[in-house]
Amino acid sequence: MESFWEYLQNLTDAQSIISRGGFYLLLIVVFAETGLFFGFFLPGDYLLFMAGLLCAAGKVDVSITTLVLSLIGAGVLGNFTGYWFGYRTGPVLFNKNDSLFFKRRYVVLASEFYNKHGGMALILGRFFPIVRTFAPIFAGVVKVDIKKFSVYNLIGSVTWVCVFTLSGFFLGRRFPQLKDYLQYIILGLIVVTTIPLVIAYIKKQFREKNEKTD
């Protein structure tokens, strides 16, 4: 339990990420998680929230407007990169062997999410770990119309960044003491964003089990 709590404390060290790596490292993390297949493990949601929270506390050397617009741009570019990667690799991606930085089941998960929600998956998927990394890649695999993809990409990035970053910013302005309870906030965000994936996995297991028994 102590090691888990220490892990959470390390995750909440967004101030260190921004101050040591700089504002641009924050953009790189968002770009990687939204477009590079090995970026699925990066801390997207709570990093956005903490960036807003730290901006409210004056610990980020850019304005909230610059922060939000830059993060939106990083998210848009990340998804375009993922789309291009999926477009170039195509179905071969589904046959790629698992490795430390690639899990084929994540591509399958994203494809099922996309098949269920259609283009909205590129918007809704932003709020779910793993899905937001692989949804644009799968969109490239099935060669979604680039104009439609661009619209969903922009809407998804704007919505995702604004919800988390501005929530952190305005809550930080209203309740400055929140920065002292980051571990609890991060734990809550992890639980909230993980529950839908767990439910989807359980449903999939039940569906496969029923198909085998039929």
Side-chain angles (χ1 to χ4, degrees):
M1 186 64 183
E2 291 182 2
S3 60
F4 175 71
W5 200 250
E6 182 180 354
Y7 173 68
L8 282 180
Q9 289 177 323
N10 291 333
L11 289 181
T12 61
D13 196 11
Q15 183 178 350
S16 175
I17 292 177
I18 298 172
S19 61
R20 294 180 186 177
F23 164 67
Y24 296 104
L25 178 60
L26 176 63
L27 300 183
I28 291 173
V29 169
V30 172
F31 170 81
E33 200 205 5
T34 56
L36 306 181
F37 69 83
F38 55 80
F40 64 88
F41 63 90
L42 293 172
D45 294 333
Y46 52 83
L47 192 58
L48 292 180
F49 183 87
M50 286 190 293
L53 197 64
L54 293 173
C55 185
K59 297 184 181 297
V60 180
D61 58 356
V62 296
S63 68
I64 185 61
T65 301
T66 300
L67 178 65
V68 168
L69 291 178
S70 299
L71 290 172
I72 290 173
V76 168
L77 292 175
N79 262 19
F80 274 128
T81 302
Y83 179 90
W84 175 83
F85 178 77
Y87 192 94
R88 298 293 294 179
T89 57
V92 175
L93 194 63
F94 285 86
N95 299 319
K96 182 178 174 61
N97 295 326
D98 285 353
S99 64
L100 178 63
F101 297 107
F102 178 83
K103 304 296 180 184
R104 191 171 65 87
R105 65 179 180 275
Y106 294 158
V107 181
V108 175
L109 176 65
S111 66
E112 292 179 347
F113 191 85
Y114 188 90
N115 289 331
K116 180 178 180 180
H117 298 285
M120 285 298 293
L122 296 169
I123 299 176
L124 299 175
R126 292 274 187 172
F127 294 87
F128 302 112
I130 300 175
V131 173
R132 70 169 151 264
T133 301
F134 288 94
I137 295 176
F138 180 74
V141 171
V142 298
K143 295 179 171 54
V144 173
D145 180 73
I146 189 62
K147 293 181 180 179
K148 291 182 179 180
F149 177 83
S150 299
V151 172
Y152 288 124
N153 182 12
L154 181 60
I155 295 175
S157 186
V158 169
T159 305
W160 180 54
V161 171
C162 287
V163 166
F164 284 102
T165 308
L166 293 182
S167 293
F169 179 76
F170 288 116
L171 285 173
R173 292 283 294 272
R174 181 66 178 83
F175 307 103
Q177 66 274 20
L178 279 179
K179 65 181 183 297
D180 300 323
Y181 300 94
L182 288 179
Q183 291 95 329
Y184 301 101
I185 295 173
I186 299 312
L187 183 59
L189 287 173
I190 291 175
V191 171
V192 169
T193 56
T194 302
I195 286 177
L197 293 179
V198 174
I199 294 176
Y201 177 78
I202 293 175
K203 287 183 177 179
K204 180 183 177 182
Q205 294 300 310
F206 273 112
R207 185 170 65 252
E208 291 179 349
K209 183 178 180 180
N210 292 333
E211 290 175 353
K212 290 181 180 179
T213 56
D214 290 344

